[in-house]
């Protein structure tokens, strides 16, 4: 039954509940909170997802006005646009034109930039700006900032020993300035006047410790005989067989696996490149997973944390296990990736197949659905051969070089 103005005035939230929704017509409703607030909301679907559009606060926005706003939103939706996104865009454009300090523009840029990024990545970016850029440039009018100001800010970060961070902060500041150019707040981007290499030290190249192939047989035997937790032993075995990233392994969920098809499909939100990734599973990997499934007892995660089973094991678990086996400073979880890449390349496997299996390729949104399955047949053969090679190394038999079957 449609709402009336009287019903809106008298509406209260039942005791013990955080809020209650009073439905009007065509998915419009009034949300009444325990604190006494009354908020107009419209429920709609766009792109296959259910969404909510805020239409104002009662009584500042009357019932009639809320209905008018709903009807306008319905017309926008009927035209093929997302009314919620249009509202956010308008708000963003208004904020950009009203604010002209570096911090104000940077925060608007960040809201625009964060779309499609993980929460962790987005939070890290704004934290870095707040810690390193805003104290120096934040209150300055963005039109007054020069290349010298940007480099001075970055050098201050570098001077405390954070070379990589200095490069990242300078890059982000340049993106903010470029955004300001795009929205007619400044005429040109001063960051284009200098290259990071002109003023900052070279980035430190991050090398992950890893063993050579001659030391791999002993490592595999030590993993098989590992006396620590069974989850840790199985995690190391699966990492050696699949050479995925540590974060991709420890957060794996059973819903991602099809053991009958011998495939592990990692969703885009868990991948570094934010695109889906298929890991063909060798018979040896499937066997490890079957043992793990029996051990996990129906839990969602393959590798639950020791104390909280709803969270994955620590990303240091594998590293600490390797250290206990005598490989401190010589081998890391990431090292399995480097070893696999080196050995497979030396044995003549196609570079593109190895790189795709390592999920190194940058993939754009259009090609993501295609590329993540690219050369899957060849990669499946390669992964099975790799597992057989590890078996021979572990057993200590005469190792016959891998016989690549791809061009």
């Amino acid at each position: 039954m449609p709402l009336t103005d009287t019903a809106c005035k008298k509406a209260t939230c039942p005791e013990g509940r955080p809020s209650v929704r009073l439905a009007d017509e065509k998915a419009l409703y009034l949300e009444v909170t325990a604190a006494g607030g009354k908020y107009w909301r419209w429920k709609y679907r766009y792109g296959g997802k259910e969404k909510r559009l805020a239409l104002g606060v009662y009584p500042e926005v009357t019932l009639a006005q809320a209905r008018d706003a709903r009807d306008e939103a319905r017309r926008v939706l009927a035209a093929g646009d997302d009314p919620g996104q249009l509202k956010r865009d308008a708000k963003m454009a208004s904020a950009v034109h009203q604010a002209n300090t570096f911090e104000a523009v940077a925060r608007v840029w960040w809201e625009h930039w964060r779309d499609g990024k993980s929460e962790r990545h987005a939070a890290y970016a704004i934290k870095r700006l707040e810690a390193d850029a805003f104290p120096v440039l934040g209150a300055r009018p963005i039109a007054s900032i020069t290349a010298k100001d940007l480099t001075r800010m970055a050098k201050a970060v570098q001077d405390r020993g954070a070379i990589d961070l200095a490069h990242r902060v300078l890059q982000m500041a340049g993106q903010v300035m470029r955004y300001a150019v795009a929205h007619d707040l400044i005429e040109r981007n001063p960051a284009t006047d200098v290259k990071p290499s002109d003023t900052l030290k070279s980035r430190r190249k991050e090398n992950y410790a890893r063993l050579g192939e001659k030391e791999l047989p002993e490592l595999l035997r030590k993993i098989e005989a590992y006396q620590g937790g069974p989850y840790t032993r199985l995690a190391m075995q699966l990492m050696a067989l699949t050479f995925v990233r540590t974060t991709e392994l420890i957060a794996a969920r059973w819903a991602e696996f099809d053991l009958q098809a011998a495939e592990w499909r990692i969703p885009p939100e868990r991948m570094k490149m934010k695109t889906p990734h298929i890991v063909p599973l060798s018979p040896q990997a499937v066997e490890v997973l079957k043992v793990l499934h029996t051990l996990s007892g129906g839990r969602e995660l393959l590798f639950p944390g020791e104390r909280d089973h709803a969270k994955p094991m620590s990303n240091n678990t594998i590293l600490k296990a390797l250290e206990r086996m005598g490989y401190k400073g010589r081998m890391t979880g990431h090292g399995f990736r480097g070893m696999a890449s080196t050995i497979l390349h030396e044995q003549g496997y196609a570079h593109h197949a190895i790189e795709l299996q390592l999920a190194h390729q940058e993939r754009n949104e259009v090609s993501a659905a295609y590329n993540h399955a690219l050369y899957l047949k060849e990669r499946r053969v390669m992964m099975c051969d790799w597992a057989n090679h590890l078996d021979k190394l572990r057993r200590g038999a005469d190792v016959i070089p891998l016989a690549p079957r791809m061009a």
Side-chain angles (χ1 to χ4, degrees):
M1 184 174 181
L3 289 174
T4 63
D5 192 55
T6 300
C8 293
K9 288 179 181 178
K10 294 182 178 181
T12 59
C13 180
E15 187 175 349
R17 293 182 60 179
S19 65
V20 65
R21 296 175 181 178
L22 305 180
D24 188 51
E25 298 176 309
K26 302 174 184 176
L28 176 68
Y29 64 89
L30 183 67
E31 184 168 1
V32 184
T33 68
K38 298 179 180 181
Y39 305 92
W40 292 111
R41 302 279 190 267
W42 179 57
K43 183 170 67 174
Y44 68 102
R45 294 187 70 84
Y46 184 83
K49 295 182 180 180
E50 186 175 285
K51 298 189 174 187
R52 300 286 191 281
L53 180 65
L55 299 178
V57 181
Y58 182 86
E60 286 80 5
V61 175
T62 67
L63 174 59
Q65 290 171 329
R67 286 172 175 168
D68 288 341
R70 173 205 60 197
D71 292 342
E72 177 58 31
R74 280 167 56 88
R75 284 190 287 271
V76 170
L77 185 63
D81 294 317
D82 181 353
Q85 186 60 51
L86 289 183
K87 183 178 180 180
R88 288 189 294 272
D89 290 345
K91 183 179 179 180
M92 185 181 297
S94 176
V96 168
H97 288 292
Q98 290 176 16
N100 66 349
T101 65
F102 179 85
E103 180 174 349
V105 176
R107 290 189 180 279
V108 177
W109 163 81
W110 180 76
E111 287 289 350
H112 171 79
W113 170 87
R114 69 182 297 190
D115 185 39
K117 308 293 190 302
S118 68
E119 286 297 320
R120 182 178 179 181
H121 188 190
Y124 174 82
I126 194 66
K127 181 180 178 181
R128 292 272 51 91
L129 287 170
E130 289 172 343
D132 298 310
F134 294 168
V136 180
L137 304 175
R140 294 272 304 276
I142 196 163
S144 72
I145 293 174
T146 65
K148 185 177 181 180
D149 296 324
L150 295 173
T151 56
R152 184 185 296 119
M153 176 268 299
K155 278 188 173 182
V157 179
Q158 175 183 263
D159 289 346
R160 66 172 193 257
I163 297 174
D164 285 347
L165 185 56
H167 282 262
R168 287 196 292 271
V169 172
L170 182 59
Q171 180 186 40
M172 280 193 290
Q175 289 178 279
V176 173
M177 303 303 289
R178 189 171 69 236
Y179 186 84
V181 172
H183 289 82
D184 296 325
L185 295 176
I186 57 178
E187 290 293 326
R188 60 185 303 277
N189 180 1
T192 60
D193 292 340
V194 293
K195 292 182 179 180
S197 59
D198 294 333
T199 56
L200 299 176
K201 297 177 183 177
S202 298
R203 292 173 185 257
R204 293 190 181 98
K205 186 176 181 181
E206 188 173 21
N207 291 312
Y208 294 96
R210 69 170 190 255
L211 303 176
E213 185 175 9
K214 290 183 179 180
E215 298 174 283
L216 185 53
E218 182 182 10
L219 171 62
L220 295 172
R221 288 191 284 270
K222 284 187 175 182
I223 290 174
E224 188 176 40
Y226 182 68
Q227 296 300 306
Y231 281 111
T232 306
R233 174 174 53 81
L234 293 167
M236 288 189 289
Q237 289 178 329
L238 195 58
M239 176 163 281
L241 290 164
T242 62
F243 47 88
V244 295
R245 296 178 178 89
T246 304
T247 54
E248 294 159 8
L249 179 78
I250 63 174
R253 285 165 165 72
W254 284 111
E256 299 169 5
F257 291 83
D258 184 340
L259 297 188
Q260 188 173 359
E263 285 185 0
W264 175 11
R265 291 178 174 256
I266 307 177
E269 60 270 18
R270 292 211 309 105
M271 293 299 299
K272 184 177 181 180
M273 297 299 181
K274 300 304 174 189
T275 58
H277 181 53
I278 298 177
V279 181
L281 300 171
S282 63
Q284 292 91 329
V286 171
E287 188 60 33
V288 170
L289 287 164
K290 287 180 178 178
V291 174
L292 190 58
H293 194 268
T294 302
L295 183 67
S296 66
R299 295 192 181 101
E300 181 184 2
L301 290 165
L302 272 70
F303 301 104
E306 186 175 349
R307 296 180 181 178
D308 186 350
H309 295 332
K311 295 181 180 180
M313 67 164 58
S314 167
N315 57 7
N316 282 324
T317 301
I318 292 175
L319 180 63
K320 294 301 180 183
L322 290 167
E323 290 179 358
R324 283 192 290 272
M325 290 189 294
Y327 294 102
K328 184 174 183 178
R330 299 169 55 211
M331 183 62 179
T332 65
H334 201 92
F336 287 103
R337 292 169 60 79
M339 284 197 301
S341 176
T342 298
I343 295 171
L344 289 170
H345 275 105
E346 288 177 350
Q347 296 292 349
Y349 281 82
H351 175 74
H352 60 258
I354 298 170
E355 290 296 288
L356 275 168
Q357 197 53 56
L358 288 164
H360 277 166
Q361 263 90 342
E362 294 255 5
R363 284 161 269 178
N364 60 42
E365 185 177 352
V366 175
S367 64
Y370 168 72
N371 276 349
H372 80 286
L374 195 62
Y375 303 111
L376 185 57
K377 184 177 179 179
E378 294 175 282
R379 289 191 283 134
R380 190 180 301 281
V381 171
M382 181 180 72
M383 296 301 282
C384 289
D385 287 348
W386 171 250
N388 292 336
H389 185 65
L390 294 184
D391 277 350
K392 292 175 182 178
L393 289 174
R394 178 177 48 81
R395 290 196 300 264
D398 291 335
V399 178
I400 301 172
L402 291 170
R405 304 177 212 176
M406 48 194 88

